[in-house]
């Protein structure tokens, strides 16, 4: 098999690439305002009730309406998924993987089209959207290969025993609920859905309410690639109406969730309770956020650190669970680093991402706008506002990248996930103190360390308690296969998406022995 190689990013400095993207954006713009159905057992269902998705850069511009599922539709979709499971679970692994490879080819051919949807529905810049689509392709290629390898692994890991014929195989779990976030509306939706599916499971996909149109476009691509009816059932809906019902349902075998800590904790609690008639312990796979820190040592390359902090904190307006929201800097370089980060931040342009001149765009919706601006007010009490702080929701949900200085390690700005373009600086007197401060949150997702000291690198490897640790580079941008992604503590189950063990979460090993 040809080894997996990460999908290359588009070079938008080339005029031909810019023109191709603009053409795709123009085509997608002609499709705004359409209505999309549920998809259950391959059947398009219009319930007459809708989720409306709006462009966060232009909040009155309707991107699309998606039919809304209720409890009756969830029941129907679960029945359809179990019916499809009977045949899909027995399909050879290489055939299931083949559907992923075909889907990757579709996304690759229509890369700019999928990315353009993310400009309009998620407010991503061209570069951020392009990386999102590339990651979706990577997940498809990687998980397809991983499943073929897993299907051949079982017998090889067993200890030979004279007089017996022993085998082990990894079989699927059953029907699962896929509940992805809005911030990576193609990449994470694709990874969460197809990892479960390629392992032989069938699923209900409940997309985020803010980005259901992009998720529908993925379902279209999977169908075009030959995915059988009922394997993926598309059931958007209000979380308040169907969220608990879906997670608690006795016929749901597993839940795969990416989102906020509070929602994840509730799902974990609900999933742990056995419903009458339920025949299994539900498996819960979760990624629940972070409060990620970049530590800058006294000997660090300050220009590299400053550029990286700005990109890690303010790319996609800080709406990444891996985004830098804390900078822990040694006192010897604190002022110089703060000055350079502030200068770079002042240069950033924020606005409607259809204008390629803007570095970043809006936050996702009014709720996010209110939350982030609320934290900016808190920050004015807890630290010194150096840059930014301005915000406007007149036309879109725009917040200027914001830097606070001299924030105490235990302040709310240093402890709570903001999920917006806000970064807080704190000063320490030693590298050891920096690592202690970095670990003083309930999260443990990503972190970066900028240092030239091999001793300090070794110390950070031992003591910096995060699932993804980077040295002298940004704390965002994990690459499928190279940086298995997932965190500790309240960051989730450390499930390591895009890693060699991830598919094991959606399978169960079955051993068989025969006397000779």
């Amino acid at each position: 098999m040809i080894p997996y190689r990460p999908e290359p990013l588009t070079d938008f400095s080339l005029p031909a690439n810019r023109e191709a993207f603009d053409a795709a954006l123009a085509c997608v713009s002609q499709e705004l305002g359409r209505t999309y159905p549920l998809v259950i057992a391959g059947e398009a269902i219009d319930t007459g009730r809708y989720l409306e998705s709006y462009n966060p850069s232009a909040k009155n511009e309707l991107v699309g309406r998606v039919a809304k599922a209720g409890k009756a539709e969830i029941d129907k979709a679960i029945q359809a998924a179990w019916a499809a499971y009977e045949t899909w679970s027995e399909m050879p692994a290489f055939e299931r993987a083949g559907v992923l490879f075909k889907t990757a080819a579709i996304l690759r051919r229509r890369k700019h089209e999928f990315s353009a949807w993310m400009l309009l529905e998620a407010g991503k810049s061209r570069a951020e959207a392009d990386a999102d689509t590339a990651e979706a392709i990577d997940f498809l290629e990687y998980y397809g290969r991983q499943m073929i390898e897993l299907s051949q692994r079982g017998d090889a890991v067993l200890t030979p025993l004279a007089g017996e014929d022993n085998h082990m195989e990894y079989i699927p779990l059953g029907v699962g609920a896929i509940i992805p976030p809005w911030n990576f509306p193609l990449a994470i939706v694709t990874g969460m859905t197809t990892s479960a599916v390629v392992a032989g499971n069938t699923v209900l996909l409940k997309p985020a309410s803010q980005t259901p149109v992009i998720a529908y476009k993925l379902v279209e691509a999977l169908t075009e690639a030959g995915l059988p009816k009922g394997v993926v059932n598309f059931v958007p809906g209000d979380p308040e109406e169907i969220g608990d019902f879906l997670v608690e349902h006795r016929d749901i075998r597993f839940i795969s969730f990416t989102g906020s800590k509070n929602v994840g904790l509730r799902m974990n609690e609900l999933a742990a309770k056995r419903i009458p008639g339920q025949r299994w312990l539900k498996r819960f796979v979760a990624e629940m956020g972070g409060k990620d820190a970049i530590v800058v040592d006294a000997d660090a390359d300050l220009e590299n650190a400053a550029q990286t902090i700005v990109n890690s904190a303010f790319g996609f307006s800080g709406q990444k669970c891996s985004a830098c929201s804390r900078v822990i800097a040694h006192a010897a370089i604190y002022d110089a680093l703060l000055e350079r980060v502030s200068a770079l931040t002042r240069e950033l342009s924020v606005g409607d991402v259809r204008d390629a001149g803007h570095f970043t765009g809006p936050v996702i919706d009014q709720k996010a706008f209110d939350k982030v601006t609320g934290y900016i007010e808190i920050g004015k009490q807890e630290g010194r506002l150096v840059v930014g702080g301005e915000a406007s929701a007149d036309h879109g949900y725009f917040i200027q990248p914001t830097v606070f200085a001299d924030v105490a390690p235990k302040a709310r700005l240093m402890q709570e996930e903001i999920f917006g373009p806000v970064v807080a600086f704190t000063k320490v007197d030693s590298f050891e103190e920096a690592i202690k401060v970095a670990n003083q949150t309930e999260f443990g997702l990503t972190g970066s360390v900028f240092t030239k000291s091999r001793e300090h690198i070794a110390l950070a490897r031992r003591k910096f308690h995060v699932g993804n640790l980077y040295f002298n580079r940004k704390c965002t941008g994990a690459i499928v296969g190279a940086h298995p992604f997932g965190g500790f503590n309240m960051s989730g189950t450390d499930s390591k998406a895009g890693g060699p063990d991830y598919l094991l979460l959606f399978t169960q090993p079955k051993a068989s022995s025969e006397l000779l």
Side-chain angles (χ1 to χ4, degrees):
M1 180 182 295
I2 299 174
Y4 155 75
R5 293 289 183 270
E7 181 71 13
L9 301 179
T10 302
D11 184 353
F12 287 110
S13 70
L14 300 177
N17 289 340
R18 294 198 301 271
E19 292 170 6
F21 191 94
D22 289 343
L25 180 59
C27 288
V28 168
S29 297
Q30 298 301 310
E31 297 186 36
L32 294 180
R34 294 184 178 179
T35 299
Y36 302 91
L38 309 181
V39 180
I40 298 176
E43 177 188 359
I45 299 173
D46 189 336
T47 60
R49 302 185 307 135
Y50 305 100
L51 294 173
E52 292 187 334
S53 174
Y54 288 89
N55 182 348
S57 290
K59 64 182 187 179
N60 294 320
E61 182 175 67
L62 180 66
V63 174
R65 300 191 310 160
V66 178
K68 189 187 298 185
K71 293 179 179 179
E73 287 78 26
I74 295 298
D75 272 330
K76 181 176 181 179
I78 291 174
Q79 293 173 16
W82 277 112
Y85 178 79
E86 293 298 319
T87 52
W88 179 252
S89 61
E90 296 181 354
M91 185 177 289
F94 75 89
E95 291 187 25
R96 299 196 301 260
V99 175
L100 270 63
F101 299 148
K102 291 177 184 177
T103 307
I106 292 168
L107 264 61
R108 195 174 286 115
R109 288 195 300 269
R110 297 163 51 192
K111 189 176 184 182
H112 292 332
E113 175 191 334
F114 279 94
S115 297
W117 278 110
M118 281 183 273
L119 263 69
L120 298 173
E121 192 172 34
K124 291 205 165 192
S125 67
R126 283 161 173 74
E128 293 282 352
D130 184 72
D132 198 307
T133 304
E135 186 175 14
I137 295 169
D138 289 345
F139 276 130
L140 291 162
E141 295 282 1
Y142 182 77
Y143 287 146
R145 285 162 172 75
Q146 285 294 308
M147 188 61 229
I148 293 172
E149 179 184 319
L150 185 62
S151 70
Q152 301 167 348
R153 181 191 302 179
D155 292 355
V157 300
L158 297 182
T159 299
L161 188 62
E164 290 188 4
D165 180 21
N166 295 317
H167 298 277
M168 188 170 75
E169 58 181 326
Y170 295 88
I171 65 173
L173 298 174
V175 172
I178 307 297
I179 307 175
W182 52 263
N183 63 327
F184 285 84
L186 184 61
I188 294 183
V189 174
T190 300
M192 292 175 65
T193 302
T194 61
S195 56
V197 163
V198 78
N201 304 288
T202 57
V203 301
L204 279 68
L205 168 58
K206 194 201 84 62
S209 299
Q210 297 92 334
T211 53
V213 174
I214 299 167
Y216 181 84
K217 295 296 179 179
L218 171 65
V219 173
E220 284 187 324
L222 289 167
T223 302
E224 182 182 343
L227 188 72
K229 296 177 181 180
V231 174
V232 173
N233 300 276
F234 180 69
V235 286
D238 285 330
E240 295 81 6
E241 181 181 359
I242 64 171
D244 288 359
F245 181 76
L246 177 57
V247 172
E248 290 181 303
H249 202 290
R250 72 174 191 179
D251 293 327
I252 287 292
R253 177 65 177 83
F254 65 92
I255 298 100
S256 181
F257 168 76
T258 299
S260 73
K261 178 194 74 174
N262 290 338
V263 174
L265 289 174
R266 176 167 176 77
M267 286 187 183
N268 188 42
E269 180 181 356
L270 294 176
K273 295 179 180 178
R274 180 173 181 259
I275 304 300
Q278 181 179 312
R279 294 181 295 160
W280 43 64
L281 296 175
K282 291 180 183 177
R283 191 168 294 180
F284 182 64
V285 179
E287 195 278 288
M288 304 192 308
K291 189 64 181 174
D292 311 297
I294 291 182
V295 171
V296 185
D297 203 0
D299 66 350
D301 180 334
L302 293 191
E303 183 60 25
N304 183 27
Q307 294 277 357
T308 299
I309 289 165
V310 170
N311 288 326
S312 296
F314 303 134
F316 190 38
S317 293
Q319 298 175 115
K320 302 177 184 179
C321 55
S322 59
C324 171
S325 59
R326 299 181 294 154
V327 176
I328 303 166
H330 194 285
I333 49 83
Y334 181 87
D335 291 335
L337 179 66
L338 177 62
E339 181 179 353
R340 184 57 181 147
V341 168
S342 300
L344 291 170
T345 302
R346 290 187 185 97
E347 297 174 1
L348 302 180
S349 176
V350 180
D352 190 325
V353 287
R354 285 174 286 198
D355 181 345
H358 293 310
F359 169 78
T360 192
V363 294
I364 191 64
D365 57 16
Q366 186 69 53
K367 182 179 178 181
F369 181 88
D370 292 342
K371 177 184 177 183
V372 177
T373 54
Y375 273 107
I376 289 174
E377 293 306 309
I378 292 170
K380 291 175 182 178
Q381 305 301 315
E382 294 185 334
R384 174 167 56 92
L385 177 62
V386 181
V387 180
E390 301 90 0
S392 173
D394 291 343
H395 303 290
Y397 305 106
F398 299 108
I399 300 174
Q400 292 296 319
T402 300
V403 178
F404 285 100
D406 309 334
V407 181
K410 292 291 188 176
R412 290 183 64 187
L413 218 61
M414 293 286 286
Q415 294 293 316
E416 299 174 8
E417 187 175 41
I418 300 172
F419 224 68
V422 179
V423 68
F425 274 65
T426 195
K427 185 188 299 184
V428 293
D429 293 322
S430 69
F431 187 78
E432 290 77 10
E433 182 187 359
I435 298 302
K436 289 179 181 178
V437 171
N439 287 334
Q440 287 176 0
T441 78
E442 62 183 354
F443 297 102
L445 185 54
T446 76
S448 289
V449 172
F450 282 79
T451 184
K452 296 176 183 176
S453 167
R454 298 308 307 176
E455 181 182 352
H456 287 175
I457 287 174
L459 174 65
R461 287 187 194 275
R462 296 194 307 271
K463 298 294 187 180
F464 198 163
H465 194 61
V466 291
N468 288 77
L469 177 60
Y470 304 100
F471 291 97
N472 299 311
R473 56 144 287 178
K474 62 183 181 176
C475 58
T476 60
I479 302 299
V480 174
H483 311 129
F485 188 80
F488 305 147
N489 301 342
M490 286 297 164
S491 286
T493 55
D494 193 31
S495 48
K496 286 294 182 276
D501 304 318
Y502 192 66
L503 295 187
L504 295 175
L505 298 170
F506 306 102
T507 64
Q508 46 196 348
K510 181 178 181 178
S512 60
S513 299
E514 180 183 0
L515 287 176
L516 297 176

